[in-house]
Each structure stands twice: as C-alpha cells, then as structure tokens.
Amino acid sequence: MRGVRRRCALLLPVVLLLSGAAAGPEGPVVDTDRGPVRGRTHGAYSTFEGIPFAAPPTGPRRWRLPEPARRWEGVRDAGAPGSRCVQLPVLGSGGPVGSEDCLYLNVTAPAGPAPGTRPRPVMVWFHGGGFFSGSGDAYRPDRPAVRGDAVVVTVNYRLGVFGLFGHPELGGAPAFALADQRAALRWVRANAVRFGGDPGNVTVFGESAGALSVCAHLTSPASAGLFHRAIVQSGSCSTTTPPSALLPGLGTYEPFVPAGRTAEEGVRAAAGLGCDRPSGVLDCLRALDARTLATADLMQRFSLVSYGDGALPTEPRRALRAGRFHRVPVLQGTTRDEIRLFLAQTLAAHPIGDDSAYRARMERSFGVGTARAVEAAYPVAAYPTPAIAWATLLTDASFICPTLRDGAALGRHVPTYGYRFSDRGAPNFTGLPPVPGLPFGAAHGFELPYLFTITPLTEPQRRLADRMADYWTAFARTGVPAAPGAPQWPRLGASARVLSLAPGADGIRTVDARAEHHCALWDERWPEVTTAG
C-alpha cells in the first residue's frame, strides 16, 4: 500500500517429461513460438524459467506497449529466472535493484503426460507488491502444479514509474503493467499446449496488487478472451483505506484513479526531472537512466492503476456493480487480519496507546458522526489492545466488506465463491520483526505459503495447504472449488456465506462473513461517506 513500503541432487535421466517436451542431457526441451527452451527436472515436476514473453521495454521502448520477443537461434537455457523489474528493496535501504529488461515468465508443469485425454488447466499468477515491488520468481508453485496437476505460470510486469506512468504525450496513462500481463496471457494462449496445458482453460490469479490486476482484467475490454476463470486474493475492485488510517499525512487510498490525474502527475514529474520543454518530453525522459527515475517518490506516486481509456474505461468497482465485466467464474477472498501487516510498519512512529488515541484515529479517518457508530460496533474494551481493535475495524472496512460487496455484484451474473483465510498461527515470512501489542495473526499475504513453497509449515498447516491447493486447482479445472472429502463451498450471491480456512479438524467451515464483520455498518458508512483527512 502506498506510503508504507519502505518501513514496509542428481537427476535420473528420463525419456519424456512433458507433453511436447523432448528430454535432453540437461533437462526437457520445449519448442515455443519464439524458439526452443531447455528447462530443469525436479522429480515430479519441471520448471522453465526466464522465458521472454515480450521484447525488452528499454531505450525507445520505455513507456510503449509490449512488443513480441525476437526469435532466438538454438536452444535457450531456461534454468534460472530472468531479471526482476526495476524496484526498490522492500526492507532496509539502498538504491533500485532489477532491470528494465524484465519481461520474463516462468512455467512449472507436472512431469509426464497429462492423465486422460484433456490437457491440464493453466494458472497464471500475477504477484503482489503494491505495483512498485515483487517478481514472479519469488513464488514456487510446485504444490498446485503437482498436487493439482496444473501448469502454473508466474509473470513479471513493469512496476512503478516504468509500469504506470502517464503523460499527455502518451495520450494519458496506458497502464503498461496491465499491458505486460496481457502480453503474457497472449504468450500462454500461443504456448500452453506445448507445456501440456489447455489454452482454452486459463485461470488468472493474484494477491494484493496481483489481485487488483485480476480485477482490472475482469472489467477490461482489452482482456476479453484471454482467461476463463479468475481468483482474487486480498485486493478486490472495491478495496480502499480511509484517510489517516496508517499515517497522519496519508489521504484515502484508492488503487484505481482517473487517467487524467495520472497524466497531470506525469507533467509535474517531468518538470521535476528537467524535462518540461514544449515538445519532446518523452524523448527527454527516455534518455534518463533507470536509477534517476526509480526514486521512492516516483515509484510510489505511479503505483495506481488508471482508468478512463479504451483498455479500462470505467472504475472497476462501478463496472462490477453495473454488470460490465467478463462472464467467468470468480473465487475471491481475504485474510482475517489484513491490515495488521501495514499497521505494524507504522505503529512505532504513530502508536495507539490508549482509548483516547483510538477514538482520535476514528474521528480523523471517518468523521465524528461515523466514529460514534464505529466505536459502538468495535468497543476498544472488547480487544486485547487498542491497536488490535483499530486493525480489526480497518480490515473489515477496507478489505473484507468491500470484497463481499464485489462478491454480491459478481454473484448476480457468474458463479462466485468467497473465502476468509483464518490461520492466526500462520508463519511470518516477511522479515518484519514482531510488534508489541499487535501480533500479525492472519495478516495480508499470510496465505501465500499455503499455495506456494515459501517457508516451512507445521503438519496441520501442510494439511490445510494441501486442501487449499485442491480447492484452487479444482476451481481452475472446472470453475467449482470442490475437492473429494472436503467441506462444500457455498456460492456467493444473496448470502454472504464464505469458507473460513484454518488448520485443525474444524478449521474449514462456513461462516456468515457479512454478520461477523459488521458489513451493514460499513456498507452504510464507508466508503460512501467521505471526510477530510
């Protein structure tokens, strides 16, 4: 979220590994539409990393729509990821890392031909990171690939000022980050069958900024026909955070903004960089080196997705409510304690030490009248600390209830399923230290180790991870998140019953999320009621 980032084996030879993949002395070879690539075997699955899906967006290609990658001669080694896109370190300090030559993807596929006569479903992952950090190779999808018998593709896309910059000379704000993702989906359509996947059964899924990306594709005419199911994790079309919620100087966080506003920001940014000449602004900006552009200010200032053009004509939450979205099944959800991750990064500088500080925050963020109603629903005495109380109400207001509103809008037209990840003992893999008075719990992104191999899990957590992989890949295969022996997953619609996911014998159960999270209050008071920050 904007404003919080900086705080915040010997292999046995095989005869055939994949449908269409020839085994070589070092690994399987697949002939893509740009040329052959040699991957690596890992027992039950194979990986093909660092495959270019578009030409490098460097030099004169900076701030242009992605172009096809050039063909290569010979067999290209696909044993390691390509460069990550330019970004700043998430933790600690230091200058930018990564490269503008970063439009690479990684394919993980089960070894051996697909069982039966149908090819495998394909799942395309868009990573999170606030649109100013992250990469596809940070996520190892061997669990869904092997357990779910799916082909999983993880994707890099341009970030920050390189991916979401706007300027009148560009015709507004073309959202190059989303265009990169579409280019990756077109690559999948052209190449999935070569890796044993079904180009007619593609699921897009993502978390945080990746989820916002999926939301944008759901409502973008330019993304029509590129995917057939969608999974939205902790970043709905309606996600928003009230002013002063995390830091006193922060305004309302809204991930989607009018293209004209982004273009105006681009004019100001160009002037600050000495590129305010009457003409040739883009030539001037393209002549600058990446380090000059990749400042904390510019990377975060251009981390919002623009709407108002042909690719994304309408603000996505309004498009959903009007029924203007692609008719594909949707699975969406949140973690139980989303905001704790963000609040933990600012609490030392701006503590919530007592009841009066808690009340003052409510009044700053929601106004005096709404604050009274909020305090009645979330009395500080009902929580171990004021910080936990504040994180709880913000999670409901900013993530859980907006996601349920989107679910209701989607459920009127397409099969829609909701979840809440509820394991408050989930491992903290972020590198952030514990914060007194605010345990992380089931914080933002803490479901990711249950879908990807990121950090060790306990045995009960591994069983939950297996079940989640079963649900996610069943949805990718059929559009219904059903698994043998697992609790039935209700559809969203008139009901707001979602599947709560936690370890233990009774850890997977149906809950009335709208009632548990005071959504009647938030639907009435926020975000429809706005106050000065």
Side-chain angles (χ1 to χ4, degrees), residues 88-108:
L88 297 173
V90 175
L91 297 177
S93 58
V97 296
S99 169
E100 286 189 84
D101 179 3
C102 65
L103 299 186
Y104 299 94
L105 54 75
N106 315 291
V107 180
T108 300

Side-chain angles (χ1 to χ4, degrees), residues 264-455:
E264 291 171 2
E265 287 282 356
V267 171
R268 286 189 284 271
L273 292 164
C275 291
D276 53 351
R277 60 190 66 176
S279 62
V281 172
L282 291 181
D283 289 339
C284 177
L285 289 171
R286 287 183 175 123
L288 300 175
D289 63 85
R291 293 183 66 88
T292 299
L293 292 167
T295 64
D297 172 60
L298 291 179
M299 292 298 285
Q300 294 187 61
R301 198 192 311 182
F302 296 100
S303 63
L304 305 175
V305 177
S306 300
Y307 65 86
D309 60 14
L312 194 62
T314 306
E315 184 183 13
R317 65 176 176 172
R318 299 185 188 280
L320 286 192
R321 293 174 191 176
R324 295 197 295 270
F325 59 87
H326 302 305
R327 298 298 193 254
V328 300
V330 178
L331 189 158
Q332 60 166 18
T334 65
T335 68
R336 187 165 188 164
D337 305 305
E338 294 277 2
I339 290 289
R340 292 192 192 187
L341 180 70
F342 306 112
L343 185 60
Q345 297 174 68
T346 62
L347 200 58
H350 300 280
I352 313 172
D354 53 28
D355 296 11
S356 62
Y358 175 65
R359 189 170 298 110
R361 285 219 181 192
M362 280 190 286
E363 292 180 357
R364 280 199 306 268
S365 292
F366 301 108
V368 174
T370 296
R372 292 195 189 100
V374 173
E375 188 173 14
Y378 300 85
V380 68
Y383 300 90
T385 67
I388 292 176
W390 184 243
T392 300
L393 73 87
L394 281 183
T395 292
D396 292 354
S398 298
F399 279 92
I400 293 179
C401 296
T403 298
L404 290 173
R405 282 197 292 272
D406 285 359
L410 289 159
R412 288 194 287 269
H413 302 278
V414 298
T416 306
Y417 302 87
Y419 74 87
R420 184 187 70 190
F421 177 78
S422 304
D423 183 9
R424 285 182 161 157
N428 172 17
F429 65 97
T430 65
L432 292 169
V435 176
L438 187 65
F440 284 109
H444 185 73
F446 277 38
E447 87 283 12
L448 294 175
Y450 296 71
L451 296 170
F452 301 95
T453 301
I454 295 174
T455 194

